[in-house]
Amino acid sequence: MSAIRHALSIKREDDFAQWYQEVISAADMAEESGVRGCMVIKPWGYGIWERMQRLMDARIKAAGVQNAYFPLFIPLSNFAREAEHVEGFAKEMAVVTHHRLVSDGKGGLIPDPEAKLEEPLVVRPTSETIIGDAMSRWVQSWRDLPLLLNQWANVVRWEMRTRMFLRTSEFLWQEGHTAHETRVDAVAETLRALEMYRSFAEEELSLPVVAGEKPENERFPGAVSTYSIEAMMQDGKALQAGTSHYLGTSFAHASNIRYQDREGGQQLCHTTSWGVSTRMVGGVIMTHGDDDGLRVPPAIAPFQVIILPMLRENDGDAPLIAYCEELRAAIAAKDALREPIRVLLDLKPGKAAAKRWDWVRKGAPVIIEVGPRDMENGKVSLLRRDRLWNDAGKSDFSFPSRDEAVDGIAALLVDIQRSLFEEAAARRDANIVRDIDSFDALADFFNADARFPGWVEVQWSKPTGAALDAVVERLKALKLTFRNVPLNADAASGACIFTGEPAVERIYVARAY
Amino acid sequence: MSAIRHALSIKREDDFAQWYQEVISAADMAEESGVRGCMVIKPWGYGIWERMQRLMDARIKAAGVQNAYFPLFIPLSNFAREAEHVEGFAKEMAVVTHHRLVSDGKGGLIPDPEAKLEEPLVVRPTSETIIGDAMSRWVQSWRDLPLLLNQWANVVRWEMRTRMFLRTSEFLWQEGHTAHETRVDAVAETLRALEMYRSFAEEELSLPVVAGEKPENERFPGAVSTYSIEAMMQDGKALQAGTSHYLGTSFAHASNIRYQDREGGQQLCHTTSWGVSTRMVGGVIMTHGDDDGLRVPPAIAPFQVIILPMLRENDGDAPLIAYCEELRAAIAAKDALREPIRVLLDLKPGKAAAKRWDWVRKGAPVIIEVGPRDMENGKVSLLRRDRLWNDAGKSDFSFPSRDEAVDGIAALLVDIQRSLFEEAAARRDANIVRDIDSFDALADFFNADARFPGWVEVQWSKPTGAALDAVVERLKALKLTFRNVPLNADAASGACIFTGEPAVERIYVARAY
């Protein structure tokens, strides 16, 4: 296998962080913008996000949640009102103070001192407060509940250290905000959103995740409980890929979201919020990428099938182009994964082999090459991106007839979708350790293999307050964090590895993004 | 007809501007947010925008244009570089000057003086400069052309006088930006986008429009030519519902977008830009709304069919609910206007009649009511929103059998889509005057009926520079503007009503939003 000349210059095992940057560049997904902390999401990267958005939006709508749109700007006073809330965002936000530019008299422009805002406006870091304001107007009676809202939006958090898709000052997300009559209803919605995220990640992104509850120290500020889905990246680190919060009545109290109950009394609503972001794109890269670039699960691939005619770039190409156009139309007429297949006939100028490697780096699931001789013989050369190399270290083309290729394409895409999931799930399962029964053993484990150590599931007594803080500090010294308490974990049976007290549940410990 | 008790308190003919506000409120589309100039787009209003976005995006993608995403913030220096460009936006923009909040020591928050940005950032009023920057990096050779990009985004222009959907400080839009080898290619793209907008408006929004070229004084700053689609509102005013600009090489020069041509020389690209915004929602309201609220064309209705069971709100309702759920599923299994029908079974608490009027005000195209007796008789009560009243001034229900309703629903929706277009087109055509042959006659026409005067198509000699400015001033005194020179106008044959010189083309004059 070492004879293979991979398409990237950096291998995952040599420098995972550099490899990640190279995939983004080689797959033409995004680039730095020149604006501090903000990236440009290029068509291939944005196309993947659009697909995620489309599929997630269908799930959100199917749950009866309605999309709406709220202002980009939030008055400063909203934040002062929710001091606890602000604490959680470290106050790093973009602040608008002026509404006009004026010449500086030296050929440049400056904010016009005459156009200073009376009250500065904050660019939303999340929309809790402004959506809470709206809910307080929209909810009057129990008949108005549940109120199930979602927003697709850009948000800004001024990040000092950024990494494309994983942490940028501006990012794209959806934020669900719901209000309910009772605690039971709101907790059910919190868990419904969590399950929506789990099934979305596993079915659409081929991303195996653990759904569970965050410990107290990792809760969203002000939340009663915070749940997450956690995915294991190929370097063994955890990525929190989505969160869902049960907020109790504290946000309703701050925003005055009250309703008249069935008996005529006034009650505070129980609220929830839940979100996923462009961060998921980073999770897909670090889960499915390989040393040849990205591999995109078919459900979220902007194009699932690429047809590459071997053109000579002269007038003799016309019959081959016509043949490939007919092939494209035949494939586009088929459905896979519940939608028409997205197929591109790539006629851009350039050598077919160079173009093939462009699509390999981008991770298009299936590449079909057709030369003049293939056309004569009624065959095509087909490459599946998830299994690029054969045992001999050569590109693992298959050579079905044109009709076999068309008839088999839907099943092939389904198989790639499933296969990527299984590969990631097997790797994840092989890298979870469950037999560590002391803090020293935990430290040894993570010190022994500092690079790609995986996750450890430990038993703990669920300390709170200062006792929890002390445990968190001990983990921090090892660069470790608690991830979550899986919903489907086995019951605890031993002693807590931190306190020695009887354990009450199992929790994941890992390095994390 | 005067006996009809309409669902709104204000009639169009009495106060069109107030009526517009009442429709937005009665149809629950949007509301003021409390943030200056920004509105909250509520689920029904946002659902209409989402439908527009979905349908437009399909047309954009079908033309080979790729979506991407660029930063919300633009460095101040970008604007200084394009001074001409800034002039056009009156420099009214939101300026970010700080990146952190800090306590003011009195329980409030202020922008942290320690966290002042070295270079202020402007919240994008349009993305010309930042997309131009990216194009200058992405275009190297003629092989990279055409570069066809589009962005769906929020933009901010600090407006002093706002009106919901028509003019708000923050609004949602798409902006297409393309780069080409030649003038011919770029002009063709400009006109392709214009035709995309025309067919979109007419086919999806049932909005008859005039596609044409703007006169020099209405051009986008820096553009060689600007085209628009113009729609006539029910008060006779024009609404510019979309624009497409051929920018020549001036933007490529400012952003340094150059390519190596087929002979190895360096050339500036020819660029275009084109956009439509949430303003179109205002156009739909002012075209299709009536004295009972909004009427939404089926293609963009979040729900096309509402099923309202006449519930008694007790345990005896179960069979009727089951019957209606089966009816809902039967309708949802059908396609209309190339998509599965969007049908809602409305089970919210409340009287059926009150709920019916809620949906009338929202403008759902078809309302189907089912009572226990209807269920027994296998019938439904069906109301089409575009023809609410019969000649006797009563709600114009029809009473098809359940099966007739299901079988006929697709054709009914298509008919409503077409019928709304025809109604608007007939009104528009009846309110265009073409026989005005002097400026005095023009002034008399608009002074005679100050309220809903319609449009006048005049012949003109197409003056430029100061001569044009003088004409524009004379029109301004009558609160009139040039709209556009229709692409499909008859040839000019007479004298210019402004200059008396031989006319060279026909141009629309109107009051406008």
Side-chain angles (χ1 to χ4, degrees):
Chain A
M1 292 290 279
S2 58
I4 296 174
R5 280 195 55 200
H6 286 290
L8 301 185
S9 68
I10 301 165
K11 290 190 171 43
R12 287 162 289 177
E13 63 181 32
D14 292 335
D15 188 333
F16 197 76
Q18 280 298 314
W19 166 86
Y20 176 75
Q21 299 292 344
E22 192 184 358
V23 174
I24 289 172
S25 163
D28 210 20
M29 298 178 76
E31 65 185 23
E32 301 292 347
S33 68
V35 182
R36 227 203 110 289
C38 296
M39 64 178 174
V40 174
I41 310 181
K42 300 181 79 171
W44 189 249
Y46 193 74
I48 292 170
W49 171 245
E50 269 189 316
R51 288 290 313 158
M52 290 182 180
Q53 194 174 16
R54 183 72 59 107
L55 293 166
M56 179 70 86
D57 194 62
R59 288 169 187 250
I60 289 170
K61 284 192 169 70
V65 180
Q66 296 185 296
N67 287 338
Y69 189 78
F70 297 86
L72 174 66
F73 299 129
I74 301 179
L76 201 53
S77 53
N78 279 32
F79 286 95
R81 204 175 63 200
E82 303 208 31
E84 183 182 29
H85 190 179
V86 172
E87 212 60 49
F89 290 108
K91 302 190 184 70
E92 290 291 340
M93 310 183 201
V95 190
V96 176
T97 54
H98 294 73
H99 67 79
R100 192 185 304 137
L101 298 179
V102 72
S103 167
D104 64 0
K106 295 175 281 186
L109 293 164
I110 53 169
D112 186 351
E114 304 286 305
K116 195 169 172 186
L117 297 176
E118 276 187 36
E119 179 180 12
L121 296 171
V122 175
V123 180
R124 61 183 164 213
T126 172
S127 304
E128 243 85 19
T129 69
I130 204 146
I131 294 182
D133 275 353
M135 284 182 160
S136 74
R137 296 190 298 270
W138 300 354
V139 173
Q140 303 294 331
S141 137
W142 64 272
R143 290 184 186 80
D144 302 320
L145 298 174
L147 180 58
L148 309 174
L149 298 172
N150 179 62
Q151 173 173 253
W152 291 97
N154 52 346
V155 291
V156 173
R157 299 173 189 179
W158 208 264
E159 300 285 355
M160 285 303 136
R161 296 169 62 183
T162 62
R163 196 182 304 200
M164 281 194 282
F165 291 112
L166 298 177
R167 192 178 299 275
T168 49
S169 289
E170 181 191 12
F171 59 93
L172 306 180
W173 78 346
Q174 60 71 216
E175 45 181 322
H177 298 272
T178 71
H180 306 263
E181 286 185 76
T182 64
R183 191 187 79 84
V184 168
D185 290 353
V187 170
E189 171 64 17
T190 309
L191 292 172
R192 184 205 64 74
L194 183 72
E195 169 57 18
M196 175 176 72
Y197 290 159
R198 184 205 63 73
S199 61
F200 172 81
E202 300 203 333
E203 292 164 14
E204 312 290 12
L205 313 186
S206 297
L207 206 64
V209 295
V210 173
E213 184 174 356
K214 289 287 202 186
E216 183 186 301
N217 65 303
E218 296 272 356
R219 268 182 214 142
F220 183 65
V224 175
S225 46
T226 286
Y227 298 83
S228 71
I229 54 169
E230 305 277 336
M232 186 189 288
M233 304 295 101
Q234 289 182 70
D235 62 354
K237 286 191 189 174
L239 181 85
Q240 178 179 296
T243 51
S244 184
H245 314 286
Y246 166 55
L247 303 170
T249 56
S250 63
F251 280 74
H253 188 263
S255 292
N256 198 30
I257 313 171
R258 289 169 201 275
Y259 71 96
Q260 189 173 52
D261 66 22
R262 289 160 202 253
E263 284 74 45
Q266 284 290 312
Q267 302 288 346
L268 283 172
C269 289
H270 293 255
T271 68
T272 84
S273 72
W274 29 272
V276 299
S277 74
T278 32
R279 186 161 225 247
M280 281 192 309
V281 178
V284 165
I285 296 170
M286 292 193 290
T287 300
H288 299 307
D290 66 15
D291 295 339
D292 296 297
L294 183 60
R295 300 184 301 172
V296 191
I300 57 168
F303 294 112
Q304 299 164 313
V305 180
I306 308 296
I307 300 174
L308 284 179
M310 322 275 272
L311 301 176
R312 290 177 186 149
E313 308 206 337
N314 62 32
D315 292 345
D317 285 337
L320 182 58
I321 291 174
Y323 181 81
C324 286
E325 172 50 34
E326 191 279 333
L327 175 62
R328 188 204 63 75
I331 292 174
K334 304 230 167 227
D335 282 359
L337 300 160
R338 302 173 307 284
E339 288 185 77
I341 293 177
R342 296 180 294 283
V343 50
L344 176 75
L345 171 56
D346 182 353
L347 294 176
K348 281 204 106 178
K351 297 265 183 244
K355 287 164 66 179
R356 178 205 307 160
W357 284 102
D358 284 346
W359 288 112
V360 164
R361 282 184 287 262
K362 283 171 178 277
V366 176
I367 299 169
I368 295 178
E369 294 186 9
V370 189
R373 197 159 307 165
D374 295 318
M375 179 171 67
E376 279 167 37
N377 299 335
K379 290 197 173 290
V380 301
S381 305
L382 189 151
L383 195 57
R384 56 186 277 183
R385 176 60 183 90
D386 62 324
R387 296 180 193 165
L388 201 56
W389 305 105
N390 65 19
D391 293 341
K394 303 284 184 192
S395 295
D396 195 11
F397 278 104
S398 63
F399 305 96
S401 75
R402 178 267 181 213
D403 292 351
E404 285 165 350
V406 171
D407 293 343
I409 194 78
L412 179 60
L413 291 169
V414 170
D415 192 58
I416 294 172
Q417 184 79 19
R418 182 194 52 74
S419 174
L420 286 171
F421 176 81
E422 285 177 1
E423 185 183 324
R427 188 175 52 236
R428 193 256 321 254
D429 294 344
N431 286 287
I432 293 178
V433 172
R434 293 195 166 84
D435 60 359
I436 284 180
D437 57 5
S438 72
F439 188 83
D440 286 346
L442 184 76
D444 287 348
F445 175 80
F446 281 100
N447 286 332
D449 179 354
R451 268 201 322 193
F452 295 176
W455 300 356
V456 174
E457 189 190 71
V458 301
Q459 306 208 25
W460 79 328
S461 59
K462 201 177 182 178
T464 59
L468 174 59
D469 292 344
V471 171
V472 169
E473 282 305 309
R474 289 169 74 190
L475 289 178
K476 200 172 172 185
L478 294 166
K479 296 181 181 164
L480 293 172
T481 56
F482 285 123
R483 302 320 301 162
N484 67 23
V485 175
L487 294 185
N488 62 358
D490 293 336
S493 59
C496 173
I497 73 157
F498 306 109
T499 65
E501 293 165 16
V504 298
E505 61 192 14
R506 293 165 193 267
I507 188 166
Y508 280 111
V509 173
R511 294 195 174 136
Y513 283 94
Chain B
M1 292 291 279
S2 58
I4 295 175
R5 281 196 53 200
H6 285 291
L8 301 185
S9 68
I10 301 165
K11 290 190 171 42
R12 287 161 289 176
E13 62 181 34
D14 292 335
D15 188 333
F16 197 76
Q18 280 298 313
W19 166 85
Y20 177 76
Q21 297 294 341
E22 191 184 359
V23 174
I24 290 172
S25 162
D28 210 20
M29 298 178 75
E31 65 184 24
E32 300 292 349
S33 68
V35 181
R36 227 201 108 290
C38 297
M39 64 178 175
V40 173
I41 310 181
K42 300 180 78 171
W44 188 250
Y46 193 75
I48 292 170
W49 171 245
E50 268 189 316
R51 288 291 312 158
M52 290 182 179
Q53 193 175 17
R54 183 73 60 107
L55 294 166
M56 180 70 87
D57 194 63
R59 288 168 187 252
I60 289 171
K61 284 193 168 71
V65 180
Q66 295 186 296
N67 287 338
Y69 189 78
F70 296 86
L72 173 66
F73 299 129
I74 301 179
L76 200 52
S77 53
N78 278 33
F79 287 96
R81 203 175 63 200
E82 303 208 32
E84 184 182 28
H85 189 179
V86 172
E87 213 60 50
F89 291 108
K91 302 191 185 71
E92 290 291 339
M93 310 183 202
V95 190
V96 175
T97 55
H98 294 73
H99 66 79
R100 191 185 304 137
L101 298 178
V102 71
S103 167
D104 64 0
K106 295 176 282 187
L109 293 165
I110 52 169
D112 186 349
E114 305 285 305
K116 196 168 173 186
L117 297 177
E118 275 186 37
E119 180 180 11
L121 296 171
V122 174
V123 180
R124 61 183 164 214
T126 172
S127 304
E128 243 84 18
T129 68
I130 204 146
I131 295 182
D133 275 353
M135 284 181 159
S136 74
R137 294 190 298 269
W138 301 354
V139 174
Q140 304 294 330
S141 138
W142 65 270
R143 289 183 186 82
D144 302 319
L145 298 173
L147 180 58
L148 309 174
L149 297 172
N150 179 62
Q151 172 173 254
W152 291 96
N154 52 345
V155 290
V156 172
R157 298 172 189 181
W158 208 263
E159 299 284 355
M160 286 301 136
R161 297 169 60 185
T162 61
R163 197 184 303 200
M164 281 193 283
F165 290 113
L166 297 177
R167 193 178 298 278
T168 49
S169 289
E170 181 191 10
F171 59 93
L172 306 180
W173 79 346
Q174 61 70 217
E175 45 182 320
H177 297 271
T178 71
H180 305 264
E181 286 185 75
T182 64
R183 192 188 78 85
V184 169
D185 290 352
V187 169
E189 171 64 16
T190 308
L191 292 171
R192 184 205 63 75
L194 183 72
E195 168 56 18
M196 175 175 73
Y197 290 159
R198 185 206 61 75
S199 61
F200 172 80
E202 301 203 332
E203 293 164 14
E204 313 290 13
L205 313 185
S206 296
L207 207 63
V209 294
V210 172
E213 185 174 355
K214 289 286 200 187
E216 182 186 300
N217 66 302
E218 296 272 355
R219 268 183 215 142
F220 183 66
V224 174
S225 47
T226 286
Y227 299 83
S228 70
I229 54 169
E230 305 276 336
M232 186 189 288
M233 305 296 101
Q234 287 182 70
D235 61 354
K237 286 191 188 172
L239 181 85
Q240 177 178 296
T243 51
S244 184
H245 315 285
Y246 166 54
L247 303 170
T249 56
S250 63
F251 280 74
H253 188 265
S255 293
N256 199 28
I257 312 171
R258 288 169 201 276
Y259 70 96
Q260 190 173 52
D261 67 21
R262 289 160 202 252
E263 285 73 44
Q266 284 289 314
Q267 303 288 346
L268 284 172
C269 289
H270 292 254
T271 68
T272 85
S273 72
W274 31 273
V276 297
S277 75
T278 31
R279 186 162 225 246
M280 281 193 308
V281 178
V284 165
I285 296 170
M286 291 193 291
T287 301
H288 300 307
D290 66 15
D291 295 338
D292 296 297
L294 183 60
R295 300 185 302 172
V296 190
I300 56 168
F303 294 111
Q304 299 165 312
V305 180
I306 308 296
I307 300 175
L308 283 179
M310 322 276 272
L311 301 176
R312 291 177 183 147
E313 307 205 338
N314 62 32
D315 292 347
D317 285 337
L320 182 59
I321 291 174
Y323 182 80
C324 287
E325 171 50 35
E326 190 279 334
L327 176 62
R328 188 204 65 74
I331 292 174
K334 303 229 168 230
D335 281 0
L337 300 161
R338 303 174 306 283
E339 287 186 77
I341 293 177
R342 296 179 293 283
V343 49
L344 176 75
L345 170 57
D346 182 352
L347 295 176
K348 280 203 106 180
K351 296 269 183 238
K355 286 163 66 178
R356 177 205 308 160
W357 285 102
D358 283 345
W359 287 112
V360 164
R361 282 184 287 261
K362 283 170 178 278
V366 176
I367 299 169
I368 295 178
E369 295 185 8
V370 189
R373 199 158 304 165
D374 296 318
M375 180 171 66
E376 278 167 36
N377 299 336
K379 289 195 172 291
V380 302
S381 304
L382 188 151
L383 195 57
R384 56 185 280 181
R385 175 62 182 89
D386 61 325
R387 296 179 193 167
L388 201 56
W389 306 104
N390 63 19
D391 292 341
K394 303 283 184 194
S395 296
D396 195 11
F397 277 103
S398 63
F399 305 97
S401 74
R402 178 265 181 214
D403 291 352
E404 285 165 350
V406 172
D407 292 343
I409 193 79
L412 179 60
L413 291 169
V414 169
D415 191 60
I416 294 172
Q417 183 79 19
R418 182 193 52 73
S419 174
L420 286 171
F421 176 82
E422 286 176 2
E423 185 182 324
R427 188 175 52 234
R428 192 261 316 258
D429 294 344
N431 287 287
I432 294 179
V433 173
R434 294 196 165 83
D435 59 359
I436 284 179
D437 58 4
S438 73
F439 188 83
D440 287 346
L442 184 76
D444 288 348
F445 175 80
F446 282 101
N447 286 331
D449 179 354
R451 266 200 323 192
F452 295 176
W455 300 356
V456 174
E457 190 190 71
V458 302
Q459 307 207 25
W460 79 328
S461 59
K462 201 175 180 177
T464 58
L468 175 59
D469 292 344
V471 171
V472 168
E473 283 303 312
R474 289 169 73 193
L475 288 178
K476 201 172 170 185
L478 295 167
K479 295 181 180 164
L480 293 173
T481 55
F482 286 123
R483 303 319 302 160
N484 67 24
V485 175
L487 294 186
N488 62 356
D490 294 335
S493 58
C496 174
I497 72 159
F498 306 109
T499 63
E501 293 166 16
V504 298
E505 61 191 13
R506 295 166 192 265
I507 187 165
Y508 280 112
V509 173
R511 294 194 173 137
Y513 282 95

